Amino acid sequence: MEVHDLGPTVSNQINRILYQYDLYPHHFDDQGNLIKIETYSGTFALKRKALNDQQIRKLQTVYSLARQMTIDAVCPLSSKYGDLIIRTDELCYYLMPWFRETVDASDLLERYRHLFIKAGQLHRQTLEKETECMTLYQDMVRVINQRQMVWEQFLYQAEHHVYPSPFEQMVFKSAAIYLVNMQRARDFFSRDHDDEGKGKLMRRALCHGRLSPLHLLIQEERSALTNFENSEYGFFVVEIATLFEQSSVTLGTKKTDWKGFFRSYEAACPMSDEEHEFLLHFLLFPSAHAELLQRYMQTDQRSEQWFVSRWTKLCRVHQEMFTTIKLEIDEERKKKETIQAEVDKKMKNEDA
Amino acid sequence: MNNQQSLLMSAIQSNYRFKQINRVNEQPFLIETERGLKKIRIWDNEAMLKLHLKWREQLVTDRFFIDRMYVTRSGLPFVRVGHYAVTCHDAPYEVAPIAGHEGLWADLITHLMMRSRSTPVTEEHFSMASHVQNVFEQAKTFQVMDHEEWKLIHSCFSSVFTRAEKADHLRESNKHQMKTFLLPEDFSSHSCTQLFDTLFCELGQSQPMDGYRLLADLLLREALEHEEQSVHHLLQHLSRNDAIDQRSADLMLAQWFEPTEWVQFVYSTVQKDQGIRTDITVQKFKHVWDQKVRLIHEFSTLFLQTGASVGGT
């Protein structure tokens, strides 16, 4: 047996795990949290990570959905004893089919393109009935208040400096607009009841919990989500809004097709008007900005240049993303209104 | 192959994910597959099967293999064939005697003592002291007093009675425990084979019994039939593992204190008097007795807390 990078004890431990799948490897390749296993029955990926009972239960839920072909996900293979996860004293192991990825991990644009589609498909395929979302709205208000506190603390400190630093000056310039936006978001999320006094309703679906361009396997045109251990049912609009925010930070100044991302998601999982509004208002109080302010306040050895450059990029990309999504939503609303007007007109004519 | 066997083979073929199967042995029922040798177990008691399934779940660890049930194509741990349930297990064949594998055996026993715990299936409470007294009295009525063996029986009685009382005392003081250590009734040194530098332990399909009794008997048998030195090493490993707590020590000692070899010797003498051939000789009785004394001594030295004492033998 050819064994690479593994000592005899580790190798035997891997053999013991693979024995539970009746697999006898002829080659191992340890790649950190993942071991590539080559056997005469095929190539597999043995994943190694710490999972708690709750995460294991979540994986089992997703596995059962994938088995029923409800969702398209790369899930662990079951052992000969029917186990999805092999638990050791410290870690858990699970075996997956090996994906020969055709998109490099560094090609984030392409990975995000696939990710928005897969996220939409996951949400659409597991849609549940609308449920009251009062708590969600209240949580949003709490988050806004926390972020506003960070902003206020930063501005208070900066205002008391005789000579504000270049970064502080830069933040001053954009503070007004962000504070107004936060107020708009707070106003929106404070209205957790509709005009008739009923609690607002939102749709729920299975949320991945850790959507990331690295939790996606792409082989040619086929792509599938993986790493479902944090998945759970919830208001999926939060997950997609967070994904937009995350991608704007990760992709930075790369030329990003925000319109394409939004359209791909909408094509897979069309959002309601309320969900559109939620998304737009969620994007009005970005976490990355508040985190950068906090980091600046907590860091002694500051590189002003780095903070200024980071702030500039964040603001630019965020604005670009927000504007594109808003335009798309407005356009869609207009289209809907035009169609509705035409329908109304037609009905009027018919009545007449 | 008769009808029943071919029905069984076809059930295995269609329910498990084996491409090809060949029957290679009947007792135990072994089949050869492209994924190695497998053992087939047939269960006529579904309650026992469920108990065994749960038991194995309880013992799953990455440090040892347990003879868990293969799942079928539909994900079930057994196949129904007529009134029976059929299960499929791995069947490694590399023997793993205690001698030479003491460390592994000690680790396995430590694990089993911690995890193989449940409420006992049958609770037996009887006084060993009364039992030996009765046996002694009965022996007198059979008029075996003329025998050479009687002298030995008689001279040992006082120690036998003390040992029985100690066994009763140790059991009595530990009887109010909800859960106890369990092992399959047929647990022996042949219950384990070796695989990837660890043990493959077969729980088999017999009913769970008091693990302390079975373990004490296993160690005694090992010391009698094989190497005493290997039992010594095993006990050293168990001591290093902190496997034996006060209760476990008491119950294992109780088993060795029970003068079963004397009772068997008395029965054997009575039977011999009635012309029935028995295999309990004076020599064998003395051998077991001495071995128990040595085991009790070594075990007490290793595992009894300071101040606790079970007395001499």
Side-chain angles (χ1 to χ4, degrees), chain A residues 108-304:
Chain A
L108 291 174
L109 272 173
E110 182 61 5
R111 289 192 155 265
Y112 270 111
R113 187 179 73 79
H114 281 272
L115 190 56
F116 275 97
I117 298 169
K118 295 319 285 185
Q121 288 173 351
L122 173 72
H123 295 158
R124 181 79 186 94
Q125 282 151 351
T126 57
L127 265 186
E128 283 187 339
K129 279 195 299 187
E130 285 185 322
T131 51
E132 223 172 65
C133 55
M134 212 164 74
T135 333
L136 172 67
Y137 274 56
Q138 287 164 0
D139 286 346
M140 288 296 123
V141 172
R142 258 192 294 277
V143 175
I144 296 168
N145 288 341
Q146 280 165 8
R147 288 196 191 150
Q148 183 152 2
M149 268 172 63
V150 175
W151 270 89
E152 281 169 0
Q153 202 184 345
F154 178 88
L155 293 173
Y156 179 81
Q157 281 184 15
E159 276 164 5
H160 283 78
H161 288 156
V162 181
Y163 301 108
S165 70
F167 178 66
E168 286 167 338
Q169 288 179 35
M170 185 65 80
V171 176
F172 278 148
K173 278 187 202 164
S174 41
I177 192 153
Y178 277 103
L179 289 174
V180 169
N181 281 346
M182 256 187 274
Q183 188 53 48
R184 279 169 56 199
R186 187 187 294 101
D187 292 345
F188 174 79
F189 288 113
S190 302
R191 290 192 304 269
D192 51 17
H193 286 77
D194 61 17
D195 298 338
E196 291 167 14
K198 286 182 192 161
K200 281 187 179 173
L201 302 174
M202 295 271 267
R203 294 180 302 169
R204 292 163 66 92
L206 182 70
C207 297
H208 180 278
R210 282 171 73 207
L211 282 181
S212 140
L214 299 177
H215 296 160
L216 177 80
L217 298 172
I218 311 168
Q219 190 172 33
E220 310 295 350
E221 270 314 294
R222 200 207 152 191
S223 60
L225 291 169
T226 180
N227 297 66
F228 275 90
E229 52 273 17
N230 287 74
S231 62
E232 63 184 337
Y233 277 89
F235 298 108
F236 62 89
V237 66
V238 180
E239 180 157 76
I240 194 60
T242 313
L243 184 64
F244 271 113
E245 203 181 284
Q246 180 211 97
S247 52
S248 78
V249 177
T250 317
L251 291 170
T253 47
K254 281 192 181 116
K255 197 166 164 42
T256 309
D257 179 15
W258 295 111
K259 186 174 163 180
F261 287 175
F262 180 78
R263 287 230 166 137
S264 335
Y265 182 82
E266 274 272 296
C269 180
M271 284 189 273
S272 66
D273 290 346
E274 184 64 33
E275 283 157 357
H276 279 152
E277 285 301 310
F278 188 105
L279 171 64
L280 281 177
H281 286 92
F282 184 97
L283 295 176
L284 287 176
F285 56 101
S287 65
H289 296 62
E291 276 160 22
L292 192 66
L293 296 183
Q294 199 151 31
R295 191 167 163 190
Y296 185 84
M297 287 188 283
Q298 287 165 355
T299 315
D300 294 328
Q301 300 289 320
R302 297 169 191 147
S303 159
E304 281 294 322

Side-chain angles (χ1 to χ4, degrees), chain A residues 31-55:
Chain A
Q31 302 175 358
N33 286 340
L34 185 143
I35 305 164
K36 184 179 179 185
I37 307 284
E38 286 175 39
T39 75
Y40 294 109
S41 321
T43 306
F44 300 88
L46 184 66
K47 293 207 91 177
R48 178 170 46 191
K49 60 178 16 174
L51 294 174
N52 58 33
D53 290 345
Q54 202 186 14
Q55 289 175 316

Side-chain angles (χ1 to χ4, degrees), chain B residues 41-56 69 77-80 84-87 89 204-205:
Chain B
R41 293 190 181 277
I42 298 164
W43 306 73
D44 55 5
N45 180 348
E46 196 154 327
M48 184 60 76
L49 168 60
K50 285 188 177 155
L51 183 148
H52 266 267
L53 281 167
K54 206 172 147 194
W55 197 3
R56 281 161 171 81
M69 287 73 172
F78 60 89
V79 179
R80 229 178 264 287
Y84 301 101
V86 174
T87 56
H89 311 256
Q205 58 190 129

Side-chain angles (χ1 to χ4, degrees), chain B residues 262-297:
Chain B
W262 179 86
V263 173
Q264 281 169 0
F265 185 57
V266 174
Y267 285 151
S268 157
T269 308
V270 171
Q271 284 172 339
K272 205 168 116 187
D273 190 53
Q274 292 167 347
I276 304 165
R277 252 180 77 93
T278 63
D279 55 355
I280 310 285
T281 61
V282 173
Q283 212 178 4
K284 192 172 177 186
F285 161 63
K286 283 182 176 171
H287 187 41
V288 176
W289 180 286
D290 291 343
Q291 189 60 67
K292 277 190 171 180
V293 170
R294 284 199 294 275
L295 264 177
I296 289 169
H297 177 72

Side-chain angles (χ1 to χ4, degrees), chain B residues 76-293:
Chain B
L76 290 173
F78 60 89
V79 179
R80 229 178 264 287
V81 181
H83 296 299
Y84 301 101
V86 174
T87 56
C88 175
H89 311 256
D90 287 303
Y93 44 82
E94 199 180 331
V95 291
I98 295 177
H101 301 88
E102 293 88 350
L104 282 176
W105 270 87
D107 290 347
L108 173 70
I109 291 168
T110 309
H111 177 71
L112 291 174
M113 281 183 137
M114 276 195 308
R115 303 270 286 272
S116 178
R117 304 187 81 88
S118 187
T119 41
V121 177
T122 48
E123 289 237 32
E124 286 173 29
H125 289 297
F126 78 98
S127 160
M128 195 65 192
S130 316
H131 182 56
V132 293
Q133 184 73 58
N134 288 341
V135 170
F136 191 54
E137 295 305 326
Q138 275 171 18
K140 283 181 192 168
T141 63
F142 277 100
Q143 298 176 333
V144 290
M145 284 175 281
D146 302 336
H147 287 274
E148 273 294 300
E149 286 90 341
W150 175 252
K151 282 183 193 160
L152 189 59
I153 290 169
H154 188 265
S155 64
C156 289
F157 181 69
S158 156
S159 298
V160 163
F161 193 74
T162 314
R163 274 177 52 183
E165 279 188 323
K166 278 178 187 162
D168 286 344
H169 171 71
L170 288 170
R171 288 202 194 286
E172 185 64 25
S173 51
N174 287 290
K175 77 173 184 189
H176 300 296
Q177 296 283 335
M178 291 296 285
K179 287 189 172 180
T180 192
F181 165 44
L182 298 172
L183 283 175
E185 195 176 7
D186 56 356
F187 189 77
S188 75
S189 58
H190 303 293
S191 296
C192 290
T193 42
Q194 203 183 332
L195 194 67
F196 296 121
D197 287 346
T198 190
L199 295 181
F200 180 94
C201 175
E202 274 198 67
L203 283 194
Q205 58 190 129
S206 56
Q207 67 167 332
M209 299 285 281
D210 179 354
Y212 298 111
R213 278 184 191 276
L214 290 163
L215 183 59
D217 286 345
L218 169 68
L219 297 188
L220 176 65
R221 229 172 18 248
E222 189 65 19
L224 287 168
E225 292 167 12
H226 302 100
E227 290 170 53
E228 202 177 329
Q229 198 59 22
S230 107
V231 176
H232 168 76
H233 289 317
L234 180 68
L235 292 178
Q236 296 280 346
H237 279 290
L238 285 173
S239 168
R240 275 199 284 276
N241 286 359
D242 267 337
I244 313 279
D245 58 10
Q246 184 68 50
R247 177 169 190 255
S248 312
D250 284 355
L251 293 173
M252 299 242 330
L253 283 168
Q255 183 66 4
W256 291 322
F257 273 125
E258 279 187 359
T260 44
E261 70 280 18
W262 179 86
V263 173
Q264 281 169 0
F265 185 57
V266 174
Y267 285 151
S268 157
T269 308
V270 171
Q271 284 172 339
K272 205 168 116 187
D273 190 53
Q274 292 167 347
I276 304 165
R277 252 180 77 93
T278 63
D279 55 355
I280 310 285
T281 61
V282 173
Q283 212 178 4
K284 192 172 177 186
F285 161 63
K286 283 182 176 171
H287 187 41
V288 176
W289 180 286
D290 291 343
Q291 189 60 67
K292 277 190 171 180
V293 170

Side-chain angles (χ1 to χ4, degrees), chain A residues 326-342:
Chain A
K326 187 158 181 350
L327 273 173
E328 283 303 303
I329 290 175
D330 287 346
E331 203 175 299
E332 217 172 287
R333 193 182 298 138
K334 268 183 208 158
K335 265 188 208 165
K336 267 189 199 168
E337 281 168 3
T338 318
I339 293 168
Q340 190 60 45
E342 274 174 19

